[in-house]
Amino acid sequence: MKSSEILQNLGAMLLSGKVDVVDCSGVLGPETPLLKLPPDFAKDTPAIEIHRISEYDSNGPFWAWNWLKLGEHSGTHFDAPHHWITGKDYADGYTDTLPVQRLIAPVNVLDFSAECAADPDFLLTIDHVKAWEARHGAINAGEWVVMRSDWDQYADDEAKFLNADETGPHTPGPTAEVIEYLIGKGIVGWGSQCIGTDAGQAAGMPLPFPAHNLLHKANCYGLASLANLSQLPAKGAILIAAPLKIKRGTGSPTRALALVPKG
Ligand code: 23J
Ligand code: MN
């Protein structure tokens, strides 16, 4: 089939609702959970502020608009390669230079929500991924891979979302081996429903922050705080996740959208 026909059909499917658009972003606002780094790292991302400029009033009689104060890595967001020291030298590793062709791709949704519910420190291993592939099909080059933990159910409560105690945050994530395995397949990026792409305990891993370290070293992308992955099939959806075109940006909040076949 010609690509023009396929796109025409997609347009019709979207209009008729035979393809659903699932919102994979959470709400961005002052209550959105934010990363708290271990105290030996100097600086955290600032609190999100939304300031009204006007709302049909003396500051602007016919219009409403806001201005924002927020870190790039706030809420449902995109990690660009320049975010990590291992990806610092990629000329196309910034939000304004990365190739947008890569950002729209099939998505593999690895549902380990039951394991994450049973153990908040759940770590995804290569054996888990291989078992998932045996059941659902191979993960291919250019595709997104996201782990479904259903952690978005805690997104309205920062304490629950971060799940931290004296020993730090306890949230699920990948092992270094899994990220290496997926990069070997040529994936475009890895996504999590938790505060970052790495597990809560990742600062203390043999390779600290393996998802950040390895993904960005390979010029791959990260997605964090994804929502509504329970509405996606294991395979068959297309994920659209683009950062704002911030000049020399290292990431940005994103409205992640999934195209999902219905029926
Ligand atoms: C900076 C340092 C450590 C981490 C992060 C940022 C993120 O999770 C992020 O938002 O990229 S773990
Ligand atoms: Mn980030």
Side-chain angles (χ1 to χ4, degrees):
M1 203 188 281
K2 288 193 300 181
S3 58
S4 60
E5 284 176 58
I6 290 175
L7 270 191
Q8 197 175 353
N9 286 339
L10 174 60
M13 295 283 180
L14 285 163
L15 292 176
S16 68
K18 284 183 187 150
V19 169
D20 251 344
V21 180
V22 172
D23 190 349
C24 297
S25 287
V27 175
L28 190 63
E31 277 90 48
T32 299
L34 295 175
L35 182 70
K36 312 279 180 281
L37 284 169
D40 37 323
F41 298 105
K43 229 173 171 178
D44 273 322
T45 194
I48 296 171
E49 297 177 12
I50 302 178
H51 297 272
R52 187 81 75 208
I53 304 170
S54 74
E55 194 176 22
Y56 333 118
D57 52 28
S58 60
N59 292 319
F62 308 136
W63 52 89
W65 51 357
N66 304 319
W67 67 271
L68 311 178
K69 178 176 167 183
L70 79 171
E72 293 175 324
H73 298 259
S74 300
T76 304
H77 76 273
F78 185 102
D79 288 353
H82 196 75
H83 176 45
W84 217 254
I85 189 167
T86 49
K88 69 184 171 62
D89 292 327
Y90 289 111
D92 62 351
Y94 300 87
T95 46
D96 59 333
T97 61
L98 52 79
V100 293
Q101 182 89 28
R102 296 177 74 195
L103 303 182
I104 303 182
V107 60
N108 299 274
V109 182
L110 280 51
D111 179 8
F112 286 87
S113 54
E115 289 79 357
C116 296
D119 175 14
D121 287 313
F122 172 75
L123 293 180
L124 190 72
T125 66
I126 294 187
D127 285 348
H128 290 126
V129 175
K130 286 189 173 162
W132 183 93
E133 287 185 293
R135 188 161 160 212
H136 299 287
I139 294 166
N140 303 301
E143 296 179 345
W144 289 107
V145 178
V146 299
M147 183 169 82
R148 183 181 150 198
S149 59
D150 288 347
W151 222 252
D152 55 337
Q153 69 187 290
Y154 307 124
D156 58 1
D157 183 335
E158 187 180 67
K160 277 192 197 155
F161 195 74
L162 300 177
N163 196 33
D165 61 16
E166 330 67 69
T167 60
H170 296 277
T171 53
T175 56
E177 293 71 28
V178 153
I179 297 295
E180 261 167 2
Y181 175 74
L182 295 173
I183 287 168
K185 288 178 164 284
I187 65 158
V188 62
W190 158 266
S192 166
Q193 299 198 264
C194 299
I195 197 80
T197 52
D198 269 300
Q201 291 289 296
M205 286 180 177
L207 177 68
F209 305 111
H212 284 84
N213 185 301
L214 299 169
L215 283 170
H216 304 323
K217 182 158 82 180
N219 205 5
C220 291
Y221 310 134
L223 297 171
S225 299
L226 289 168
N228 298 324
L229 297 185
S230 58
Q231 295 178 38
L232 271 50
K235 271 185 173 283
I238 289 182
L239 183 63
I240 305 167
L244 294 177
K245 205 169 178 177
I246 297 167
K247 188 170 188 178
R248 290 217 134 199
T250 72
S252 123
T254 180
R255 189 69 176 261
L257 301 175
L259 306 185
V260 178
K262 219 163 119 182

